[in-house]
Amino acid sequence: MRYGVFGDIHGNLEALDIVIEAMRRERVDRFLCLGDIVGYGANPSECIARVRALDPVVVIGNHDLAAVGMLDISAFNPFAREAVLWCRQALGPEDLAFLEQPNLVEIVNDTVTIFHASLALPEQFGYIQTPEEAAQSFAFLKTRVGFFGHSHVPVAFSKAMRRIELKTTPELSLVDGISMLVNPGSVGQPRDGDSRAAFAVYDADAGTITCRRVRYDVERAQAKIREAGLPPIIWERLSQGI
Ligand code: ZN
């Protein structure tokens, strides 16, 4: 079984289409979506339609929850709040019905766990960026592999016995007795200084996880956000991936 793992799309249709194409070329059997389909980008409704068509296992992200009015956005920064309010009016009743369905955590085939932000109190949307933060989620991980998003920065952590290590290579191999937490990065709003869209392929039979990057039409995505009248910071950062 080959899984295509992707998330943090954030309404960026240009990036999502390129990632779907790339995952199809990778002969993916099943799609796992890590949430935040909407928020920031100009095509939230179209992105929901694309994701639905893949029939993925999907978990809900904080921006999805905010869009359907199930998350208090007073703690969001002002431009993120403005983006949420814009997004709400861009979504139809069917979009909203789809967005509010997913759970915070899903276990797939008893072997893979997916969640948006953190396994420790998933509804609080904390981050996993350090070995210490990874340890808090490893404590709740019941499968060998877990995938998550939220920070928009690709990163992986391995745990052997009680030792947790940060991994930075794009190619990861699973080894018996070692569990892994992997963030493949963001499709529609990368923040690791690389503007290319990110996703991962998990080959469960080969025991490999490959984090991939693909170029997409950043300028087109930027122009749409600008035309929607959203704050400049939202489109400006796309070209640098910050
Ligand atoms: Zn996100």
Side-chain angles (χ1 to χ4, degrees):
M1 175 74 82
R2 285 167 70 80
Y3 296 96
V5 191
F6 67 109
D8 291 296
I9 299 147
H10 287 289
N12 186 335
L13 186 63
E14 284 67 33
L16 178 59
D17 275 342
I18 294 290
V19 164
I20 291 173
E21 230 178 84
M23 289 192 292
R24 294 229 184 266
R25 272 202 306 274
E26 294 270 359
R27 303 179 319 281
V28 158
D29 305 298
R30 190 137 197 226
F31 297 94
L32 308 180
C33 177
L34 306 173
D36 273 7
I37 301 172
V38 304
Y40 301 132
N43 292 111
S45 181
E46 294 81 353
C47 286
I48 290 171
R50 292 289 202 282
V51 170
R52 285 182 81 162
L54 299 174
D55 191 25
V57 182
V58 53
V59 286
I60 200 162
N62 53 320
H63 282 262
D64 306 322
L65 271 175
V68 296
M70 289 162 68
L71 188 75
D72 176 15
I73 56 169
S74 58
F76 277 43
N77 64 50
F79 69 83
R81 211 158 48 227
E82 197 177 331
V84 168
L85 298 175
W86 181 90
C87 179
R88 274 184 196 162
Q89 55 79 38
L91 296 175
E94 266 193 35
D95 298 327
L96 296 169
F98 176 79
L99 269 193
E100 66 183 24
Q101 267 173 15
N103 295 317
L104 286 160
V105 180
E106 286 285 352
I107 295 179
V108 186
N109 284 349
D110 295 328
T111 52
V112 194
T113 304
I114 63 170
F115 53 98
H116 182 66
S118 156
L119 273 181
L121 300 171
E123 70 284 359
Q124 291 190 6
F125 298 102
Y127 288 92
I128 305 179
Q129 291 169 307
T130 64
E132 292 72 29
E133 288 162 349
Q136 294 169 4
S137 283
F138 272 121
F140 293 93
L141 183 69
K142 295 188 180 74
T143 57
R144 193 175 175 195
V145 186
F147 289 100
F148 64 99
H150 197 43
S151 69
H152 300 200
V153 175
V155 69
F157 297 93
S158 66
K159 184 181 179 208
M161 307 294 278
R162 297 180 67 183
R163 190 183 151 82
I164 293 174
E165 255 181 70
L166 176 82
K167 307 268 182 188
T168 49
T169 58
E171 291 274 349
L172 302 159
S173 293
L174 296 176
V175 178
D176 280 345
I178 295 181
S179 46
M180 302 216 62
L181 283 171
V182 181
N183 183 340
S186 166
V187 171
Q189 199 170 98
R191 289 187 192 149
D192 61 337
D194 182 342
S195 64
R196 295 174 299 167
F199 69 99
V201 176
Y202 168 38
D203 188 321
D205 304 316
T208 56
I209 298 165
T210 311
C211 295
R212 297 277 320 273
R213 301 305 281 260
V214 281
R215 285 188 197 288
Y216 74 95
D217 192 343
V218 174
E219 278 157 32
R220 191 171 154 81
Q222 288 179 308
K224 285 185 182 176
I225 299 170
R226 201 167 49 224
E227 281 157 24
L230 285 160
I233 185 173
I234 294 175
W235 58 266
E236 280 169 359
R237 63 197 308 182
L238 287 183
S239 47
Q240 286 142 318
I242 53 171

